[in-house]
Each structure stands twice: as C-alpha cells, then as structure tokens.
Amino acid sequence: MKLNFNGLIAAGFSPFKVDGTPDLDKIPPLVDKLIKEGINGFYLMGSTGEGVSVKLEQRLAITEAYFKAVNKRVPIIVNVTHSSYGASADLSRHAVQMGADALSATAPSYYGISGIDQLIYAVEKITDCQDQIPFIYYHIPGKTGLNFKMHTFLEQLDKRIPQLGGIKYTASSMDDFMLCKENYGDRYKMFFGVDELFLPALAMEADTFIGSTYNFMLPYYKNILKYYGTDNHKVALENYRNVVEIINAFLRYDGLASQKAILKMNGFDFGQPISPILPLTDNEYNYLKQNLESLHYFDHVK
C-alpha cells in the first residue's frame, strides 16, 4: 500500500496524572502548538507514547484524545504493538475506525524471533486483521533485540504482506537504511527515527522523519531542512550541532524521563513516565535545565 507521508512527524507523548491515569486535557495545547509550527503528522502510542506500559482502555483513550485534538489537520499513525496478536488486532480495528492514516508495530518479542522468516510471519499475523490502511513495520532493535537487516527483510517479502507500506527505521545502521531506500524506495516508504542522526539521514535522501524531540525542538529541524544544500548550508550544520548537543545533554539521564522534563520546562506538564522508568530527581531536573540554558535552548525554541 502506497504511503504519502512527508516531512517531520512527532512521536506523541502520553500525559499522566499523579495517580497514573491519563491527563487528556494536556494533549490539545501541545498539538495546536506543533501544528502551528509546521509539524507534518503524529505517531501515537509507540516508545515515546508508552503504549506498551498502559492498560488497553487507557491506550484507546489517549489515542482518541489525539485524534480529537488533531481534527484531521495532519495525518496520524497509530502504533498497535502488543504481545498478543488478538490485542493488536483490536487496537488496529480501533485505529481504523478513528480514521488513522496508517498502523505500525514491532513484532512480539518476549518469546524471541530467531530468523527473517519468523519475523515475516509475525508481521503477517499483525496485519491480517485489516486491509484498509497501510502498515509500517517498526524497526527498533535497541528495544526489541531484533537486529535483522531490513533490506534483507524487504528482499525476502515477495508479496506476502500487501498491507506493508514502509518501515519506521529507528537504528543507526545507515548502510542498511540506504540499501532499503535505494533498492525498495519505489515500493516502501522509509521513515527515519533516530533524531541525533537527522542530518546524516538527510544526506541519504531521507525525506520523512518520526521523532520524539520534534515535540520541543521543532525550530532546529525546520532550519536544518530549510538551509541544507543551500548557500547557507553552514546554518543547517549549526542547527544540527545544537540538536546533537541538546540530545547528548538529556541522554545523561533516561531519555523518556528527561524529555518529559523538557516538555514541562516548556509549559507542557505531561507528568511522570510509567514505571519501571523513574522520573528525574529535583537535582537532575535543575541540572538539565541549567545545561539547556547554557546551550541557549530556551531562547531558540521561544
């Protein structure tokens, strides 16, 4: 299935109250800000959205809140990852009913997948509940442990998964990404998902990106896209260096906890991450804020 996505897609964060229930009223203000700033879409309930950490009904409620807030202004991709194929099917049907533009998921990985054939079969099982919208396989070996080369995965597919429209490529193997794009880019859309490798991916002719930091660093990425390959190419490099420095600053701590902290610093308090992820301590929060101030981050995004 052909996909028409392009540009910068924000991986949506999930807001929680102190008791762990979704704080749905926090979603519309951030959505409105991002759309006003030029975001090109949303990717919901993935790693950033903590989809695998919440109860099914909470996952549905957060998804519905995003759909209501977006109100068809930009496309939405819904992650339906679950350890149960039946639960993934329920999530898929709900997303289709809500009007999702595409679905996405990793393969169930608790029991382990040892070969490409097993991975293909798993994706078949996830996708066989619907044939109305495209499916995007979520390649994130850092979380799943599935380190297969995606160009090999695509090579062996043949026509087994007609719903497959592309891959969300969240890995640092740029050679593999390049081969996927060069050999199969006419059939499958390659979404790049490692924010700190944004400029190298752009050099590999990536044109569609899904990232968590677009929620609070969008002006940097817009400038990279604006000036890359122009006479002012140095401006793109300067903005990319800023991106790398900021990401390095918050990756001294847990990536999700620190990014939720940065959202709070920007006036969007999405609460604490779900356990087992721990929030930043007060000292860590203050130290991170000082580091961001030293990088002139707040001046740039405001």
Side-chain angles (χ1 to χ4, degrees):
M1 290 185 175
K2 201 67 177 178
L3 285 160
N4 295 316
F5 291 90
N6 197 62
L8 304 172
I9 299 170
F13 286 89
S14 293
F16 298 107
K17 300 177 183 177
V18 175
D19 64 2
T21 59
D23 196 359
L24 303 179
D25 290 339
K26 298 295 179 65
I27 292 173
L30 181 58
V31 166
D32 288 342
K33 175 180 182 291
L34 291 173
I35 291 178
K36 183 178 179 181
E37 290 182 351
I39 202 69
N40 301 112
F42 289 89
Y43 183 97
L44 306 180
M45 305 315 299
S47 305
T48 302
E50 302 176 80
V52 298
S53 298
V54 298
K55 295 189 293 186
L56 197 61
E57 57 265 31
Q58 293 177 331
R59 193 164 168 173
L60 299 179
I62 294 168
T63 300
E64 290 172 6
Y66 265 100
F67 271 96
K68 184 177 179 180
V70 171
N71 194 24
K72 301 181 180 180
R73 289 179 287 175
V74 294
I76 293 177
I77 304 166
V78 179
N79 185 298
V80 297
T81 298
H82 201 280
S83 57
S84 160
Y85 290 122
S88 285
D90 290 341
L91 291 166
S92 296
R93 285 187 282 265
H94 175 264
V96 171
Q97 184 180 19
M98 291 299 299
D101 297 274
L103 303 173
S104 182
T106 63
S109 55
Y110 178 82
Y111 288 105
I113 289 177
S114 58
I116 291 287
D117 287 341
Q118 196 177 3
L119 176 60
I120 293 172
Y121 178 76
V123 176
E124 281 181 316
K125 289 287 291 181
I126 297 170
T127 58
D128 70 3
C129 66
Q130 68 85 34
D131 58 5
Q132 296 174 253
I133 60 176
F135 177 85
I136 301 162
Y137 174 63
Y138 186 5
H139 177 57
I140 181 166
K143 296 294 187 185
T144 64
L146 304 180
N147 286 293
F148 305 112
K149 295 294 186 182
M150 286 295 97
H151 72 272
T152 305
F153 170 71
L154 294 176
E155 176 186 316
Q156 296 187 21
L157 275 181
D158 194 21
K159 298 180 181 179
R160 286 177 59 178
I161 309 175
Q163 300 96 324
L164 187 67
I167 294 175
K168 181 181 184 293
Y169 198 97
T170 308
S172 59
S173 301
M174 302 303 296
D175 55 335
D176 183 33
F177 177 81
M178 179 185 68
L179 290 173
C180 289
K181 190 160 179 61
E182 287 190 355
N183 296 339
Y184 304 100
D186 58 338
R187 181 175 176 184
Y188 300 110
K189 185 77 174 180
M190 295 300 298
F191 300 80
F192 193 75
V194 183
D195 297 1
E196 56 268 44
L197 294 177
F198 186 89
L199 191 57
L202 196 59
M204 297 286 185
E205 299 185 344
D207 57 16
T208 312
F209 304 82
I210 300 174
S212 57
T213 61
Y214 307 156
N215 286 274
F216 52 86
M217 291 171 61
L218 192 57
Y220 291 100
Y221 295 101
K222 299 287 284 187
N223 280 337
I224 295 170
L225 292 174
K226 180 178 180 180
Y227 293 108
Y228 175 77
T230 70
D231 292 340
N232 292 318
H233 184 70
K234 285 187 177 180
V235 178
L237 291 175
E238 290 169 2
N239 277 266
Y240 178 60
R241 184 181 67 248
N242 291 335
V243 164
V244 171
E245 289 174 339
I246 292 166
I247 292 175
N248 283 339
F250 73 67
L251 285 183
R252 295 176 183 177
Y253 319 102
D254 178 84
L256 181 58
S258 56
Q259 288 181 88
K260 279 197 157 183
I262 296 173
L263 274 185
K264 183 178 179 180
M265 295 173 197
N266 281 282
F268 299 95
D269 188 354
F270 271 45
Q272 298 180 357
I274 298 295
S275 177
I277 298 173
L278 296 176
L280 301 191
T281 65
D282 289 343
N283 284 340
E284 290 170 339
Y285 181 95
N286 292 331
Y287 187 67
L288 174 59
K289 188 174 182 180
Q290 291 171 8
N291 280 345
L292 295 177
E293 288 171 345
S294 71
L295 295 170
H296 306 288
Y297 161 75
F298 297 104
D299 295 333
H300 197 90
V301 296
K302 291 178 180 179

